[in-house]
Amino acid sequence: MKNLPQKVRSRKLNSRVDLTAMVSVSFLLIIFFMVTIELRKNKAMYLSLPDYDAYTCEWTGGCGENRSYTILLGDDDKLVSYMGLLEVPKIAPKKFGYGKDGIRQELLKQNKKMLNYSAQLGRPGQGMVVIIKPSQKSNFKNLVDILDEMAIADISAYVIVNDFTPEESKLIALK
């Protein structure tokens, strides 16, 4: 018999797809979108404001200048503070140093007094409001140090402003 041509059978190749790269890319995309969604969220900071009485159209935070404590930061690590208004201070301007024996002790003492005073008025938890005024000649380290003191003394309401009055400029230059 004659040799008949045999059918050429195609070999079936093992069809395996390597998905390792696709899995890596998909995980990277998932992580990327999770991070961008988290960064997209609005970040809010708690702002302590007095209550507004709609009936009398007045802010009812109470105590006004009794609650304000001003800290002036000058050059060469100068720190002067007073309570109330500079024209009629509740506590006269006084020079302090940084650290636990300086401004920290004063902040703790005055905040404790203010918390007791506000509790007697029926507004518990209202401590003093600290106004931090760094001068043009003060350095960044002093500002960071005073912000650390705010955290240590547990002062909940403080603000940093840079508008020195002429009287305050004279005061920081004298001390």
Side-chain angles (χ1 to χ4, degrees), residues 51-62:
D51 296 328
Y52 186 74
D53 186 4
Y55 182 71
T56 61
C57 299
E58 292 179 354
W59 294 98
T60 59

Side-chain angles (χ1 to χ4, degrees), residues 59-76:
W59 294 98
T60 59
C63 303
E65 68 273 357
N66 293 340
R67 288 184 64 202
S68 68
Y69 190 85
T70 305
I71 299 175
L72 307 173
L73 305 178
D75 58 340
D76 296 330

